Amino acid sequence: MRELDLLQHVYAANASLPTGVTIPPGDDMGAVRAPSGQVLITVDQVAQGVHVDLATASLEQVGRKAITRNLSDVAAMAAQPMAAVVAASLPRDFDTPRVNRLFDAMRQTAGAFACPLVGGDISIWDGPLILTVTILAEPAGIEPVRRSGSQAGDAIYVTGALGGSLETVDGYTHHLDFTPRLALARRLAGDPATRPHAMIDLSDGLARDLAHLCDASGLRAEVLAQQLPLSRGALQAAQRTGQPAWRHAVGDGEDYELLFTASPDREMPASIEGVPITRIGTMLPAGEPPMVGLRLPDGSMVDLTPLGWEHRA
């Protein structure tokens, strides 16, 4: 595989880019219009052996995930994606057809979410596949929702179902096949009746990501185990591991759902865009640990602080 051949393959799609892209791939920088004047930026990676396994995931799934896990961050702030760029470190043994499949999947996925792939960089090395994606987004009339802003007494909500993201159930593997909650987030944040006080996407597991919301607002949280919406993957994982299903729901990670808090007197809908919304707990004033606790049906409390995905050097 020659770098020039891959670049020509990428450039061939330039004519299909939306008019908001004013400089397409091929120059030293790409350019897009930012009508609102404010640009939000996020960057994340998909690395072979960490986020994906090429022995079980197709190249189409890998390329798709490289885009959608970044779009989940965009959803967390209720923003609207504008464009994406990707820096790809490709294994030396990747042949041209495989590389084209990978880049086609990224371009098609980005385009499907109105987030055209407008540039990037390519290197070939002896290491594993690493895809680093940067996405530009704009508020588009809706003030971004921050992680801070929760208030004591706020209700805690999640979208969708949690846990078992690595499990394959009826051909569906959540961490590869999920849909980022972009439209839902904008509906939620754009309506004063439902706008969250704080929001985050669930990538590192409910236990760890809820701790981020608590820390940002100086609060603690109590979650009710019986209120957790369990995915089929969580139930399948529980059967396989012998652990309670709630353990998978709070700690598996890569749910890519939205976790948010809002005033408890608001009439939160049961679903938006066909996705369930479930109240799972309450934000409390800071006090004795745990910062994030899970109340079991028997009344006992479990400290969730040690659970969730931790990035370690």
Side-chain angles (χ1 to χ4, degrees), residues 253-268:
E254 301 220 305
D255 298 295
Y256 299 109
E257 295 292 348
L258 296 175
L259 167 68
F260 63 95
T261 74
S263 176
D265 59 7
R266 290 187 177 173
E267 292 286 338
M268 194 63 62

Side-chain angles (χ1 to χ4, degrees), residues 3-204:
E3 180 180 7
L4 181 60
D5 292 335
L6 174 56
L7 292 174
Q8 291 301 325
H9 180 79
V10 172
Y11 300 160
N14 283 356
S16 64
L17 292 172
T19 56
V21 179
T22 57
I23 301 177
D27 276 270
D28 289 304
M29 295 184 73
V32 294
R33 292 190 184 92
S36 68
Q38 184 180 28
V39 178
L40 293 85
I41 304 167
T42 184
V43 62
D44 217 332
Q45 290 184 331
V46 164
Q48 157 65 4
V50 179
H51 307 101
V52 292
D53 181 356
L54 290 174
T56 56
S58 70
L59 290 171
E60 287 75 15
Q61 287 176 310
V62 172
R64 184 181 188 278
K65 181 175 181 178
I67 300 296
T68 55
R69 75 190 309 258
N70 281 268
L71 288 173
S72 188
D73 284 333
V74 177
M77 299 193 77
Q80 182 172 289
M82 298 169 58
V85 295
V86 57
S89 296
L90 304 173
R92 201 172 298 281
D93 64 353
F94 260 43
D95 59 22
T96 298
R98 295 180 76 195
V99 175
N100 287 348
R101 285 172 57 198
L102 182 67
F103 272 77
D104 286 347
M106 286 190 287
R107 185 176 64 246
Q108 291 165 9
T109 302
F113 290 99
C115 181
L117 190 61
V118 299
D121 187 47
I122 301 160
S123 64
I124 299 169
W125 71 323
D126 294 322
L129 174 67
I130 300 176
L131 301 172
T132 303
V133 175
T134 300
I135 288 183
L136 308 179
E138 62 173 333
I142 298 175
E143 182 66 21
V145 183
R146 308 282 294 275
R147 293 183 180 186
S148 57
S150 292
Q151 302 171 17
D154 272 4
I156 304 169
Y157 296 92
V158 293
T159 63
L162 308 180
S165 62
L166 300 182
E167 301 288 319
T168 299
V169 181
D170 293 337
Y172 175 83
T173 307
H174 186 76
H175 82 103
L176 295 171
D177 302 326
F178 72 93
T179 298
R181 303 303 189 192
L182 291 161
L184 186 158
R186 289 186 61 78
R187 280 273 302 275
L188 192 71
D191 185 344
T194 58
R195 181 175 171 85
H197 289 156
M199 187 158 64
I200 190 173
D201 76 315
L202 289 170
S203 56
D204 294 336

Side-chain angles (χ1 to χ4, degrees), residues 222-226 228 244 246-247 293-304:
E222 181 175 310
V223 175
L224 301 178
Q226 65 268 31
L228 290 171
W246 65 256
R247 171 62 179 77
L294 181 75
R295 184 73 66 182
L296 297 177
D298 64 6
S300 61
M301 181 75 78
V302 177
D303 182 358
L304 296 185

